[in-house]
Amino acid sequence: MTMNMSDQRQRISKREFISRVAARSGWPIKTVNSVYEGILDELMDAVSHDETVALTGFGRFYRQTHRGHKVHFGQSEVDDYAVLKFSASRIVNRQLEPQSASESGRKLVGSA
């Protein structure tokens, strides 16, 4: 039985993610949750209005539109639609490269 990469990845829930950010920053969970919600709301609002959100040193979020097409396995068609896309910066992509065994711990973009 073969295992693909997605089977090996651990998912982190929103609750766990917010807890980790709160622990790292020293901010209360309620504050981090409010900031999280505000960032996502603003991101979605900007992208839905065809704006690109560029976060220096991290990447950019943008809207990509797709033309409708005929469904291969039926008579129906899919209308035009849009998807949220993310393009990571080179800095972020370099941090995703495998680390040597001597390196330990996680490092965030911009952290010392």
Side-chain angles (χ1 to χ4, degrees), residues 69-112:
H69 54 85
K70 189 171 225 169
V71 179
H72 294 288
F73 51 86
Q75 300 294 328
S76 61
E77 290 191 14
V78 174
D79 293 332
D80 293 352
Y81 61 99
V83 295
L84 174 68
K85 297 293 282 188
F86 173 71
S87 177
S89 70
R90 275 189 237 136
I91 294 168
V92 169
N93 284 332
R94 284 186 192 131
Q95 289 182 355
L96 294 177
E97 292 175 359
Q99 296 180 353
S100 68
S102 62
E103 295 176 351
S104 62
R106 289 186 276 175
K107 185 177 178 186
L108 286 179
V109 174
S111 64

Side-chain angles (χ1 to χ4, degrees), residues 2 11-12 14 16 19 26 38 43 50 64 67 76 85-86 90-91 100 103 110-112:
T2 60
R11 290 182 58 149
I12 300 172
K14 174 185 171 183
E16 176 64 19
S19 292
L43 175 70
D50 284 328
Q64 185 176 70
R67 293 181 58 178
S76 61
K85 297 293 282 188
F86 173 71
R90 275 189 237 136
I91 294 168
S100 68
E103 295 176 351
S111 64

